[in-house]
Amino acid sequence: MSFDLSSLNPAQAEAVNALDGPVLILAGAGTGKTRTVTCRISHMVDRGIPADQILAVTFTNKAASEMSERVGQMVNKAAGKEITVCTFHSLCVRILRTGIDRLGYKQNFTIYTGNDQTGLIKQIIIRKGGAQEKIEPGLVISLISKAKNAGIPFSEMDDPFVAEVAQAYANELRAQNAVDFDDLLLLAEQLLREFPDVRDICRKRWTRVTVDEFQDTNSLQMRLLQQLVGEPYHVCVVGDDDQSIYGWRGAEVANILQFEKFFPNPKIIRLEYNYRSSDSIIHTANSLIVHNVGRREKQLRSVKPGGEDIRIISMPGDAEEAEFIAHEITDLHRVEKIPLEDIAILFRTNSQCRHLEQGLREEEIPYRMIGAQSFYDKREVRDILAYLQVLANPSADIPLLRIMNSPPRGIGQAAAIILTDNSRLRGGSVWESMGVPPEDLSTRAKNSILEFTTLIMKYRERMTSGAENMGDVLLELMEETGYIEWVKRNSKNEKEMDMRRNSIDDVVQQLKDASKKGKTLQKFLDQSALARDREDDNDIEKQKGVTLITLHASKGLEYPIVYLVGLEEGILPHKRSIEEGTTDEERRLLYVGITRAQDRCTLTWCSVRMKWGQEHAGEASKFLMELDDKYVEHMDYDDIMGEEASEEDLANFFADMRGDS
Ligand code: ATP
Ligand code: MG
């Protein structure tokens, strides 16, 4: 056995040994669900189940890479490579890359992520005359996503204008041989459902399926799972209904609570011991979650008795909140020698992040941010990826329009409009219209277009031939098009120029590495699109420092020391949830946050918060009143610091906290 069975408690061991038929592990936070299924997978390998038939699906890229790493440590190297550990979305990409042609798409389809989607929706809104009415593209996108996930036809959407935009959006994605994130799931499910031969191939390919964080699957993901897993249903799902935090995205707690409806006679395993957090943390978290109605009663006991009290600190403002935490972290790190990687600051909304970052920067504390603006949002990165997307699939209009005239090459706005209109008339892509340039284009534009398409074809050939390193080819392309020169010329100063040049080099380097590993351009693009999935960005994991992370992205993770900031009405619970009457989900979110902490947990709230440059009075979150006081200590920043806290006061305060005299 490649792991120590005695390191598991009896219920965990039972789950590890129950390899056949459906298994449901229903248990609270930190009870070792993820650890148990990881051991279970390694046990499968020991029992001779071929590693390449094992599939584990998780919710975020980060969780997938963590699980993959843990499994890798337990099984032999070859097996580790053969086991598939991925997210739902990347699983769907794998399925679609081999069979999407059955659904009328071409194999080289492009995945449109947030920015591409917004670009396309904006275009459609403007064309349909909705721009004057100030229709928010983001809202339209989320309505479309909701309809798609709920299986509601666009024609039945509430707002007729949105319905029209949604239909046009769907048509154009098809014309451009592109799909969005929701399509990945929808199309994969459709493919498996409509083509039993494809489904059977998948069922033979993966005979053992595990799903972590199952409480956050939606009905579409459930249907996909049903297609994927046939009799005798060797499927194991793991979850905690108290941690369901994606209701707003259609997650169905019913999937877990009614699991037996989908997969009959499952073995149900409950885990009751929490190995992660001290008793004080678990006690406090439990006292919060009991305020939710209609939940399943669950035992959750800590195996770490005692522990430090939870601190609730009221702050005069958000700047002080950040400053206080930064000071304290410096102290923890310098005096107590606590590694920065053991510390996380959790927040509800991205707008809270700026102050926190500033506080950390002022103290020169390195940090990594998960869930906010990422590498892929940088202009140059988006440009270069757009070039690559065009090389892979020229029919994708959005990236094509993005780079057509970047750098300027005489295919300006007017030409773009003519080309787009023409493509719509012909029911094809802009690229196709470039092949037969419409008459009303100027001769100059026509020449430029010919030059451009020739260039793209040339590089498309080189990039996909496999004969050269793709990174080198990309660099040449960026030089030949004059892109690098253009970026240089358009930078405000040297610093900006360096930064932008660095971003270009980063992509080139990434592509070089991918090329060396034998990856294709398509594979590289898939991975970069999937890395942009919502709020987690795996590359960030490699950076060192304190973790700044949204509550949503923190699911499944653990840190010895956790700060939970901004516990105010309107933030947590979020304003929208108060309006919509969904504060139970916010309570679960806070429950997730508190249960990330292993040893120390600090909750803060501010009586004044800056918003759009103005001061707003803050009111403590109602959740704070719900926490049982047994292990809670209430503190006030002003009392701790006095009127004008000096560096020395802070130092003394922290010495007191540690019990130094
Ligand atoms: P979450 O609900 O937050 O996803 P989880 O149930 O998946 O939590 P894990 O992350 O698997 O819990 O485990 C929490 C911690 O407890 C980990 O550090 C894990 O190594 C430890 N742990 C789990 N089971 C045991 C055990 N039997 N003995 C010792 N440590 C354990
Ligand atoms: Mg887990």
Side-chain angles (χ1 to χ4, degrees), residues 250-410:
E252 299 263 3
V253 184
N255 288 341
I256 193 155
L257 296 180
Q258 300 169 12
F259 181 71
E260 46 259 85
K261 268 202 347 212
F262 306 104
F263 298 104
N265 303 320
K267 185 177 205 66
I268 300 178
I269 291 174
R270 292 173 200 281
L271 309 174
E272 297 184 348
Y273 295 99
N274 174 297
Y275 290 87
R276 175 182 295 146
S277 316
S278 66
D279 186 42
S280 54
I281 292 170
I282 292 304
H283 177 90
T284 310
N286 280 340
S287 74
L288 172 75
I289 201 69
V290 292
H291 286 87
N292 269 6
V293 286
R295 61 182 279 272
R296 277 198 182 181
E297 252 324 291
K298 212 176 333 171
Q299 287 290 343
L300 190 58
R301 279 178 272 242
S302 168
V303 301
K304 293 195 222 165
E308 290 180 27
D309 280 357
I310 313 289
R311 293 182 302 169
I312 297 180
I313 311 180
S314 64
M315 302 281 180
D318 40 9
E320 286 83 356
E321 180 181 57
E323 184 193 353
F324 176 90
I325 292 173
H327 268 295
E328 188 163 286
I329 289 175
T330 306
D331 196 67
L332 289 170
H333 185 55
R334 285 214 200 115
V335 184
E336 294 189 46
K337 306 281 176 247
I338 292 176
L340 295 176
E341 291 69 34
D342 283 1
I343 305 172
I345 309 175
L346 277 52
F347 51 91
R348 175 67 181 88
T349 64
N350 279 322
S351 60
Q352 291 170 260
C353 214
R354 199 177 55 83
H355 275 301
L356 296 168
E357 277 190 89
Q358 197 176 337
L360 293 173
R361 259 191 251 121
E362 272 166 22
E363 289 272 325
E364 297 180 10
I365 302 170
Y367 63 88
R368 52 195 175 173
M369 188 148 61
I370 302 176
Q373 222 225 2
S374 80
F375 179 65
Y376 296 104
D377 290 331
K378 291 185 188 158
R379 192 168 8 138
E380 303 71 44
V381 176
R382 289 173 59 193
D383 283 346
I384 299 179
L385 286 175
Y387 265 102
L388 293 174
Q389 282 174 329
V390 170
L391 295 182
N393 168 24
S395 305
D397 288 356
I398 295 296
L400 180 62
L401 289 167
R402 181 176 179 93
I403 56 142
M404 207 156 70
N405 207 36
S406 307
R409 54 169 72 88

Side-chain angles (χ1 to χ4, degrees), residues 22-95:
V23 175
L24 166 64
I25 304 179
L26 188 56
T31 50
K33 294 183 297 296
T34 303
R35 185 172 186 261
T36 301
V37 289
T38 314
C39 293
R40 194 172 176 274
I41 287 171
S42 136
H43 188 49
M44 290 178 195
V45 177
D46 293 339
R47 286 280 250 347
I49 293 166
D52 61 356
Q53 291 182 14
I54 300 172
L55 168 67
V57 186
T58 66
F59 233 73
T60 59
N61 293 312
K62 192 148 19 65
S65 74
E66 254 182 46
M67 189 186 279
S68 174
E69 201 172 299
R70 284 209 231 169
V71 171
Q73 286 160 2
M74 282 190 246
V75 300
N76 67 59
K77 213 169 168 190
K81 278 205 180 124
E82 286 174 356
I83 297 172
T84 309
V85 184
C86 62
T87 62
F88 268 108
H89 287 114
S90 70
L91 173 68
C92 292
V93 174
R94 277 165 214 241
I95 295 172

